[in-house]
Amino acid sequence: MIPLYSLLSSSPGHCPLGSATDREDNNALSCDCKGIVESVLVPLVHHYTTLGNAARAFYYLLETAAAYLHVSNYYMALRKLNEADILRNSLKNKADVISRFEDATFFSLKGEVCCAVGRMELAKKMIRKSLSLLGRPFPRNRTEDFVRSQVEKLQCAAYVARGASSLPQKAQ
């Protein structure tokens, strides 16, 4: 499934749907992205909720929250995340319906919203929970952060080198 949020923007502060109202006001973006959220994503959430498809409803709630976060509407992003939390808590077999990645995305988005509204301690707690779900602990200090980033770079370089060596000779 392709994330619909990716249609809104490839980089923060850029709206691919340019309009006559594109401008920046106090770091808030004014463009057609909000219209897309309200005309596409919100109805999809209602549709899948009505059908009883909790997995899809949860996914589109996360997409909606991410889109509202993108257009700096933190109140609506938090509202959609609270709806997702209610849905998440109401499921009996959560592991069967919501993937670990979607759960981590939920906590990551909640952390981003908390950070944006100045609740740093809560944001840190949410980001830690998100990282722990992904099996990536939160760095305790700068040294640990630096060492971990270097190890990841080495692993990435080894993967790229391994991929290049497996290509046919003519392609290299």
Side-chain angles (χ1 to χ4, degrees):
M1 195 176 329
I2 297 173
L4 289 178
Y5 171 69
S6 64
L7 297 174
L8 295 178
S9 174
S10 57
S11 63
H14 168 72
C15 183
L17 303 172
S19 71
T21 61
D22 283 351
R23 64 182 172 14
E24 288 190 29
D25 292 326
N26 299 329
N27 296 327
L29 190 65
S30 176
C31 65
D32 293 335
C33 296
K34 185 179 177 198
I36 291 172
V37 171
E38 292 172 356
S39 65
V40 176
L41 293 174
V42 173
L44 280 170
V45 170
H46 294 298
H47 173 74
Y48 285 113
T49 303
T50 304
L51 287 177
N53 189 337
R56 295 274 176 143
F58 187 76
Y59 172 80
Y60 285 114
L61 278 167
L62 293 181
E63 287 291 336
T64 305
Y68 277 128
L69 187 62
H70 173 73
V71 296
S72 302
N73 190 340
Y74 306 122
Y75 171 74
M76 287 302 292
L78 190 58
R79 258 185 81 192
K80 294 302 172 184
L81 287 170
N82 286 338
E83 285 180 39
D85 195 26
I86 291 168
L87 178 64
R88 194 175 146 270
N89 291 333
S90 70
L91 298 173
K92 291 184 172 121
N93 297 326
K94 184 170 59 169
D96 296 339
V97 178
I98 298 173
S99 73
R100 178 178 238 152
F101 179 77
E102 285 178 329
D103 224 13
T105 302
F106 167 76
F107 287 110
S108 175
L109 286 171
K110 206 157 191 175
E112 284 186 56
V113 171
C114 290
C115 183
V117 297
R119 303 275 318 264
M120 293 306 179
E121 286 304 313
L122 186 57
K124 194 183 284 189
K125 180 181 171 186
M126 294 293 138
I127 297 297
R128 282 182 201 270
K129 191 159 188 168
S130 173
L131 288 171
S132 71
L133 284 169
L134 296 172
R136 311 298 286 183
F138 195 79
R140 289 178 176 41
N141 56 42
R142 289 181 188 202
T143 306
E144 183 182 351
D145 186 33
F146 176 74
V147 169
R148 184 170 287 138
S149 70
Q150 295 304 312
V151 168
E152 288 179 1
K153 284 179 186 176
L154 287 173
Q155 289 173 342
C156 183
Y159 177 77
V160 169
R162 194 173 348 125
S165 66
S166 67
L167 290 174
Q169 197 65 18
K170 291 179 185 176
Q172 289 181 358

